[in-house]
Amino acid sequence: MLFAVKMDVEIPQDLDAAVREDLLSREKNYCQDLQKAGRWVHIWRCAGQYANLSVFDVADNDELHTLLWNLPLFPYMKVSVTPLATHPSALDAAAAAS
Amino acid sequence: MLFAVKMDVEIPQDLDAAVREDLLSREKNYCQDLQKAGRWVHIWRCAGQYANLSVFDVADNDELHTLLWNLPLFPYMKVSVTPLATHPSALDAAAAAS
Amino acid sequence: MLFAVKMDVEIPQDLDAAVREDLLSREKNYCQDLQKAGRWVHIWRCAGQYANLSVFDVADNDELHTLLWNLPLFPYMKVSVTPLATHPSALDAAAAAS
Amino acid sequence: MLFAVKMDVEIPQDLDAAVREDLLSREKNYCQDLQKAGRWVHIWRCAGQYANLSVFDVADNDELHTLLWNLPLFPYMKVSVTPLATHPSALDAAAAAS
Amino acid sequence: MLFAVKMDVEIPQDLDAAVREDLLSREKNYCQDLQKAGRWVHIWRCAGQYANLSVFDVADNDELHTLLWNLPLFPYMKVSVTPLATHPSALDAAAAAS
Amino acid sequence: MLFAVKMDVEIPQDLDAAVREDLLSREKNYCQDLQKAGRWVHIWRCAGQYANLSVFDVADNDELHTLLWNLPLFPYMKVSVTPLATHPSALDAAAAAS
Amino acid sequence: MLFAVKMDVEIPQDLDAAVREDLLSREKNYCQDLQKAGRWVHIWRCAGQYANLSVFDVADNDELHTLLWNLPLFPYMKVSVTPLATHPSALDAAAAAS
Amino acid sequence: MLFAVKMDVEIPQDLDAAVREDLLSREKNYCQDLQKAGRWVHIWRCAGQYANLSVFDVADNDELHTLLWNLPLFPYMKVSVTPLATHPSALDAAAAAS
Amino acid sequence: MLFAVKMDVEIPQDLDAAVREDLLSREKNYCQDLQKAGRWVHIWRCAGQYANLSVFDVADNDELHTLLWNLPLFPYMKVSVTPLATHPSALDAAAAAS
Amino acid sequence: MLFAVKMDVEIPQDLDAAVREDLLSREKNYCQDLQKAGRWVHIWRCAGQYANLSVFDVADNDELHTLLWNLPLFPYMKVSVTPLATHPSALDAAAAAS
């Protein structure tokens, strides 16, 4: 089941540099692990923004919430969620909705 | 080059039924032709909305505008466009940005 | 899987009275059938508004979209959807998320 | 009498960890006591948000305000309140409004 | 129990003049009857607006909804509702909350 | 002359406790003095909010501004002002506007 | 007593041309009569908008409302009102507040 | 050439008192010098707000920007600018636009 | 003196086709005449929108208003205006501000 | 390919003065280097705002993002991006879109 997720990031300028590096490194690993696991199926940078547009493929709302809640950068993000359904004009409808 | 496009549709209730059917049929064909041509790479229904979230892969802003402007339903849509760039954490960054 | 759904209704004043009555009657039947089927688990009137706040229990986003799209009043509604997950403080967490 | 309440939580990142833990622990106890007392009748997590959607069953506006004002996390919340009335299509209308 | 209610009115310019007059006359009577009954305790014109700010004193949310829903001008209004509680600094707290 | 005033309060969590207590105490005295003087004619708590809806009866805009500007909590408030006029349906129009 | 008033005008394109001309002519006369009477002390066109920013000098909120409500174009306007007080830095404070 | 300028001021509560006094004193002098020079032609307090509505008479956009940018309180202000043109109904059109 | 102008166009679907064509043809001529005259110095299509972002070079606010007010499509546009000043980092500052 | 970019700057008042000066100096150099390279083709100050409206000419979304992300002031900016296409009425359409 697919969800579009927009994440706007705002890390305070005065955050300790080492803490910041650690956060960003853990965020990248976390993100790539979920991509390899087939859960985080798309991630794009919104041009000119500290933000991304992503698509998640999860079993249900609880799994979606758990994945997002555990993002290392979650406390510094504004997150919006759009549940996605199959579009009747989509050629890949079956695959997209799986 | 990728763009996220959100399309909110509002067709007047009093539009002639035949005109409406024709519009919807042409819209579907137009959409599927662009999918086959590799230009309209994703289309998802936003659950509970007469709206879709799509991703286009085009040569430049002019091609994007031409494709959207010629949508049969364009006069009945509110369209918002987000230019997408490669995300540094994306495993498929090369492919995504192609 | 639960979703909160807010529906704001706006029926044009000049809609034919018989058409209106038919719409409202079909809407009520549709709503009560889904309640009996355990899909539309709560419906409350927002006081002072032609609007309701509802909770749906569905298998996935596609089912949610289908149920909402087929509402007789759907063309006259503005709908917003919030996917709900289990809250860690909920006593009835297991039941609520079923 | 029912009220829908949306609570968006934002706890400062620099809050002392022990203070934070104490707050969260007291919030959970407070929430579960009100559930047992039949006052806080639903609490759902909004997926991907540090937020919940809740339904309260109280005697009047004063009781609602007192319950919310005394939430341990109240100073860190943005709260919005929607008074709920019986919906004419609700099968459980009598129960819902009690 | 008190509620603040803001009503913004927008009557279509092309509404039949007699229908309009009848609506306005019935609205005035309805409003004054509720004032006499002690339900509509304040009504003020918002200066420069086709709008009013009112305070209702009702038994519960259901009564509030019924009173507002039956306003002759309800189909032409945008209504917003704020539940009011006793303020700890109010000298007339007891009276105000009665 | 009447004005509706909505006051949303936000006191920083890290304000010194004694300073806070002093502010709140002075605010309450200030508010009650103006009630006794017939200037602050209504004050209601907005349920679930650190906010109030008030009605002031003043000679003119300058007096209104002076009263609000001197609120001990003014630096911590977001204030919105709505000038009120007599409503033609008000039974107590003469008294309300006095 | 001064009020800033922003008026945004939207006259339907399909309004009968003679009705429109009559409205605009009466609006201009009404406006200039109030200027001569010292009530409508400033009127500026907002560049590029069918809108004006005006300043009224009236006895009280009731007079302001009456003047605005009787604007021939009132049914086609969105009006916002800001009560103005004397600014402590104004050299012409005494005059401005008169 | 006239511009309406709305200035919303927000000075941090923890700003050093002497710095604050100095800022306010310089702001007042700066404002009154521009009034004497015929550049800052109106300044009104928005009642109940730490805000003013002003009208500037300048040679061009560059002069307007320079005047505003050099306000001692500029770093603590949210500023919005509306270019004003002559209104065809203004009796003092020639003077107002000079 | 430069102004950025955003124009959002919305032509009713039921406008007579010949009227529409005439409007669009006159709009194009008007636009190109002002380009040749050095008044409308840039016009770009906002991709995916029936909108443009333009830059005008005019003597003052009155000229700007006159040019925009006389756009054949003005009654079908939502227009927003931003006065532009010389940027201190612009290499072409002198030219840009001319 | 052209993009309009609006940059709103907000530098904290308590930023160390030397750090601030260094930031501003590097920002100016960075901006002017991109102007010389033909990438940052316009920059205008929004009058009365700590903001600019700019136009970039880049190969694709990735280049745009890289240029903006590397702005020395990027962490202190709110950035919005509008992709621009050739307008059919533009006399310089070929040049503008190059």
Side-chain angles (χ1 to χ4, degrees):
Chain A
M1 201 167 62
L2 301 180
F3 290 86
V5 180
K6 174 96 186 298
M7 306 181 201
D8 289 273
V9 185
E10 187 164 353
I11 304 178
Q13 290 301 313
D14 60 2
L15 191 69
D16 177 79
V19 171
R20 184 188 184 97
E21 281 318 298
D22 177 59
L23 266 175
L24 294 176
S25 162
R26 287 193 289 125
E27 178 81 11
K28 187 169 189 170
N29 289 339
Y30 182 87
C31 170
Q32 295 191 331
D33 287 348
L34 288 176
Q35 288 180 71
K36 288 171 196 160
R39 289 296 174 259
W40 197 326
V41 293
H42 296 290
I43 177 167
W44 297 289
R45 175 67 80 202
C46 300
Q49 313 281 336
Y50 196 168
N52 70 72
L53 176 67
S54 290
V55 177
F56 285 81
D57 187 353
V58 293
D60 56 22
N61 293 345
D62 279 323
E63 186 185 2
L64 177 71
H65 182 69
T66 302
L67 294 186
L68 294 174
W69 184 266
N70 289 324
L71 287 162
L73 285 178
F74 185 80
Y76 303 104
M77 283 178 172
K78 197 164 137 281
V79 175
S80 68
V81 171
T82 306
L84 301 176
T86 310
H87 195 284
S89 299
L91 293 181
D92 62 345
S98 69
Chain B
M1 203 168 61
L2 301 180
F3 290 86
V5 180
K6 174 96 186 299
M7 307 181 199
D8 289 272
V9 185
E10 187 165 353
I11 304 179
Q13 290 302 311
D14 59 0
L15 191 69
D16 177 81
V19 172
R20 183 188 184 97
E21 280 317 298
D22 176 58
L23 266 173
L24 293 177
S25 163
R26 287 193 289 122
E27 178 80 12
K28 188 169 189 170
N29 289 339
Y30 183 88
C31 171
Q32 294 191 332
D33 286 349
L34 288 176
Q35 288 180 72
K36 289 172 195 158
R39 289 294 173 262
W40 196 327
V41 292
H42 295 291
I43 177 168
W44 297 289
R45 176 65 80 203
C46 300
Q49 313 282 336
Y50 196 169
N52 70 73
L53 175 67
S54 291
V55 177
F56 285 80
D57 186 352
V58 293
D60 55 22
N61 294 345
D62 279 324
E63 185 184 3
L64 177 71
H65 182 69
T66 302
L67 295 186
L68 295 174
W69 184 266
N70 290 325
L71 287 163
L73 285 178
F74 185 80
Y76 303 104
M77 283 178 174
K78 194 162 137 282
V79 175
S80 68
V81 171
T82 305
L84 300 176
T86 309
H87 194 283
S89 299
L91 292 180
D92 63 345
S98 69
Chain C
M1 203 168 61
L2 301 180
F3 291 86
V5 180
K6 174 96 185 298
M7 308 182 199
D8 289 272
V9 185
E10 187 165 352
I11 303 179
Q13 289 303 312
D14 59 2
L15 191 69
D16 177 82
V19 172
R20 183 189 185 97
E21 280 317 298
D22 175 59
L23 266 173
L24 294 177
S25 163
R26 287 193 290 122
E27 179 80 11
K28 187 168 189 172
N29 289 339
Y30 183 88
C31 170
Q32 294 191 333
D33 287 348
L34 288 177
Q35 288 180 71
K36 289 172 195 157
R39 290 294 173 262
W40 196 328
V41 292
H42 295 290
I43 177 167
W44 296 290
R45 175 66 79 203
C46 300
Q49 314 280 336
Y50 196 169
N52 70 73
L53 176 67
S54 291
V55 177
F56 285 80
D57 186 352
V58 292
D60 55 23
N61 293 343
D62 279 324
E63 185 185 2
L64 177 71
H65 182 68
T66 302
L67 294 186
L68 295 174
W69 184 266
N70 290 325
L71 287 163
L73 285 178
F74 186 80
Y76 304 103
M77 282 179 174
K78 194 162 138 283
V79 175
S80 68
V81 171
T82 305
L84 301 177
T86 309
H87 194 284
S89 299
L91 293 180
D92 62 345
S98 67
Chain D
M1 202 168 60
L2 302 180
F3 290 86
V5 179
K6 174 96 185 299
M7 307 182 200
D8 289 272
V9 185
E10 187 165 353
I11 304 178
Q13 289 302 312
D14 59 1
L15 191 69
D16 178 78
V19 172
R20 184 189 184 97
E21 281 317 298
D22 176 58
L23 266 174
L24 294 176
S25 163
R26 286 193 289 124
E27 179 81 11
K28 187 168 188 170
N29 288 339
Y30 183 87
C31 170
Q32 295 191 331
D33 287 348
L34 289 176
Q35 288 180 71
K36 288 171 197 158
R39 288 296 174 260
W40 197 327
V41 293
H42 296 289
I43 177 168
W44 298 289
R45 175 67 80 202
C46 301
Q49 314 281 338
Y50 196 169
N52 70 72
L53 176 67
S54 292
V55 177
F56 285 80
D57 186 352
V58 293
D60 55 23
N61 294 344
D62 279 323
E63 186 185 2
L64 177 71
H65 183 68
T66 302
L67 294 187
L68 294 174
W69 184 265
N70 289 325
L71 287 162
L73 285 178
F74 185 80
Y76 303 103
M77 283 178 173
K78 195 162 138 282
V79 174
S80 68
V81 171
T82 306
L84 300 176
T86 309
H87 194 285
S89 299
L91 294 180
D92 62 346
S98 68
Chain E
M1 203 168 58
L2 301 179
F3 290 86
V5 179
K6 172 97 186 299
M7 308 182 199
D8 288 272
V9 185
E10 187 166 352
I11 303 179
Q13 290 302 312
D14 58 2
L15 192 68
D16 177 80
V19 172
R20 184 190 184 96
E21 280 317 298
D22 176 58
L23 266 174
L24 294 177
S25 162
R26 286 192 290 124
E27 179 80 12
K28 187 168 189 171
N29 289 338
Y30 183 87
C31 170
Q32 294 190 332
D33 286 349
L34 288 176
Q35 289 180 72
K36 288 172 196 159
R39 289 294 172 262
W40 197 327
V41 292
H42 296 291
I43 177 167
W44 298 290
R45 175 66 80 202
C46 301
Q49 314 281 335
Y50 195 168
N52 70 72
L53 175 67
S54 291
V55 177
F56 285 80
D57 187 352
V58 292
D60 54 24
N61 294 344
D62 279 322
E63 186 185 2
L64 177 71
H65 182 69
T66 301
L67 294 186
L68 295 174
W69 184 267
N70 290 325
L71 286 162
L73 285 177
F74 186 79
Y76 303 103
M77 283 179 173
K78 194 162 138 282
V79 175
S80 69
V81 171
T82 305
L84 300 176
T86 309
H87 195 285
S89 300
L91 293 181
D92 61 345
S98 67
Chain F
M1 203 168 59
L2 300 180
F3 291 86
V5 180
K6 174 96 184 298
M7 308 181 199
D8 288 271
V9 184
E10 187 166 351
I11 303 179
Q13 290 301 312
D14 59 1
L15 191 68
D16 178 79
V19 172
R20 184 190 185 95
E21 281 317 299
D22 176 59
L23 267 172
L24 294 176
S25 163
R26 286 193 289 124
E27 179 80 11
K28 187 169 189 171
N29 289 340
Y30 183 87
C31 170
Q32 294 190 333
D33 287 349
L34 289 175
Q35 288 179 72
K36 289 172 196 157
R39 289 294 173 261
W40 196 327
V41 291
H42 297 289
I43 176 167
W44 298 289
R45 176 67 81 202
C46 300
Q49 315 280 338
Y50 195 168
N52 70 72
L53 176 67
S54 291
V55 177
F56 284 81
D57 186 353
V58 293
D60 55 24
N61 293 345
D62 279 323
E63 185 185 2
L64 177 71
H65 183 68
T66 302
L67 294 187
L68 294 174
W69 184 266
N70 289 325
L71 286 162
L73 285 177
F74 186 79
Y76 304 102
M77 283 178 173
K78 195 162 138 283
V79 175
S80 68
V81 171
T82 305
L84 300 176
T86 309
H87 194 285
S89 299
L91 293 180
D92 62 346
S98 69
Chain G
M1 202 169 58
L2 301 180
F3 290 87
V5 180
K6 173 97 186 299
M7 307 181 200
D8 289 271
V9 184
E10 187 165 352
I11 303 178
Q13 290 301 313
D14 58 2
L15 191 69
D16 177 80
V19 172
R20 183 189 184 97
E21 281 318 298
D22 176 58
L23 267 173
L24 294 177
S25 162
R26 286 192 290 123
E27 178 80 13
K28 187 169 189 170
N29 289 340
Y30 183 87
C31 170
Q32 294 191 332
D33 287 349
L34 288 176
Q35 289 180 72
K36 288 172 196 158
R39 288 295 173 261
W40 197 327
V41 292
H42 296 289
I43 178 168
W44 298 289
R45 176 66 81 201
C46 300
Q49 314 282 337
Y50 196 168
N52 70 73
L53 176 67
S54 291
V55 177
F56 285 80
D57 187 352
V58 293
D60 55 24
N61 294 343
D62 279 324
E63 185 186 2
L64 177 71
H65 182 69
T66 301
L67 294 186
L68 294 174
W69 184 265
N70 289 325
L71 286 162
L73 286 178
F74 185 80
Y76 303 103
M77 284 179 172
K78 196 162 137 283
V79 175
S80 68
V81 171
T82 305
L84 301 176
T86 310
H87 195 285
S89 299
L91 294 180
D92 61 344
S98 67
Chain H
M1 202 168 59
L2 301 180
F3 290 86
V5 180
K6 173 93 185 300
M7 308 181 200
D8 288 272
V9 184
E10 188 166 351
I11 303 179
Q13 290 301 312
D14 58 1
L15 192 69
D16 177 81
V19 172
R20 184 190 185 96
E21 281 317 298
D22 176 59
L23 266 173
L24 294 176
S25 162
R26 287 193 288 124
E27 179 80 12
K28 186 169 189 171
N29 289 339
Y30 182 87
C31 170
Q32 294 190 333
D33 287 349
L34 289 176
Q35 288 180 72
K36 289 172 195 156
R39 289 295 173 261
W40 196 327
V41 292
H42 296 290
I43 177 168
W44 298 289
R45 175 67 81 202
C46 300
Q49 314 280 338
Y50 196 168
N52 71 72
L53 175 67
S54 291
V55 176
F56 285 80
D57 186 351
V58 293
D60 55 23
N61 294 344
D62 279 323
E63 186 184 2
L64 177 71
H65 183 68
T66 301
L67 294 187
L68 294 174
W69 184 265
N70 290 325
L71 286 163
L73 285 178
F74 185 79
Y76 304 103
M77 282 178 174
K78 195 161 139 283
V79 174
S80 68
V81 171
T82 304
L84 301 176
T86 310
H87 194 284
S89 300
L91 293 181
D92 62 345
S98 70
Chain I
M1 203 168 59
L2 301 180
F3 291 85
V5 180
K6 173 97 185 299
M7 307 181 200
D8 288 273
V9 185
E10 187 165 351
I11 304 178
Q13 290 302 312
D14 59 2
L15 191 69
D16 177 79
V19 172
R20 183 188 184 96
E21 281 317 297
D22 176 58
L23 265 173
L24 293 177
S25 161
R26 287 193 289 123
E27 179 79 13
K28 188 169 188 169
N29 289 340
Y30 183 87
C31 171
Q32 294 191 333
D33 287 348
L34 288 177
Q35 288 180 72
K36 288 172 195 156
R39 288 294 173 262
W40 197 328
V41 292
H42 296 290
I43 178 168
W44 298 290
R45 175 66 81 201
C46 300
Q49 313 282 338
Y50 196 167
N52 71 72
L53 176 67
S54 291
V55 177
F56 285 81
D57 186 353
V58 293
D60 55 23
N61 293 345
D62 279 323
E63 186 185 2
L64 177 71
H65 183 69
T66 302
L67 294 187
L68 295 174
W69 184 266
N70 289 325
L71 286 163
L73 286 178
F74 186 80
Y76 303 103
M77 284 178 173
K78 195 163 137 282
V79 175
S80 68
V81 171
T82 306
L84 300 176
T86 310
H87 195 284
S89 299
L91 293 181
D92 62 346
S98 67
Chain J
M1 201 167 63
L2 301 180
F3 290 86
V5 179
K6 173 96 186 297
M7 306 181 201
D8 288 274
V9 185
E10 187 165 351
I11 304 179
Q13 290 301 312
D14 59 0
L15 191 69
D16 176 81
V19 171
R20 184 190 184 96
E21 280 318 297
D22 177 58
L23 265 173
L24 294 176
S25 163
R26 287 193 289 124
E27 179 80 12
K28 187 169 189 171
N29 288 340
Y30 182 88
C31 171
Q32 294 191 331
D33 287 348
L34 288 177
Q35 288 180 72
K36 289 172 195 157
R39 289 294 173 261
W40 196 327
V41 293
H42 296 290
I43 178 168
W44 298 288
R45 176 66 81 202
C46 301
Q49 314 280 336
Y50 196 168
N52 70 73
L53 176 67
S54 291
V55 177
F56 284 81
D57 187 353
V58 292
D60 55 22
N61 293 345
D62 279 323
E63 186 184 3
L64 176 71
H65 183 68
T66 301
L67 294 186
L68 294 174
W69 185 266
N70 290 324
L71 287 162
L73 284 178
F74 185 79
Y76 303 103
M77 283 177 173
K78 195 163 137 282
V79 175
S80 69
V81 171
T82 305
L84 300 176
T86 310
H87 194 284
S89 299
L91 293 180
D92 62 345
S98 68

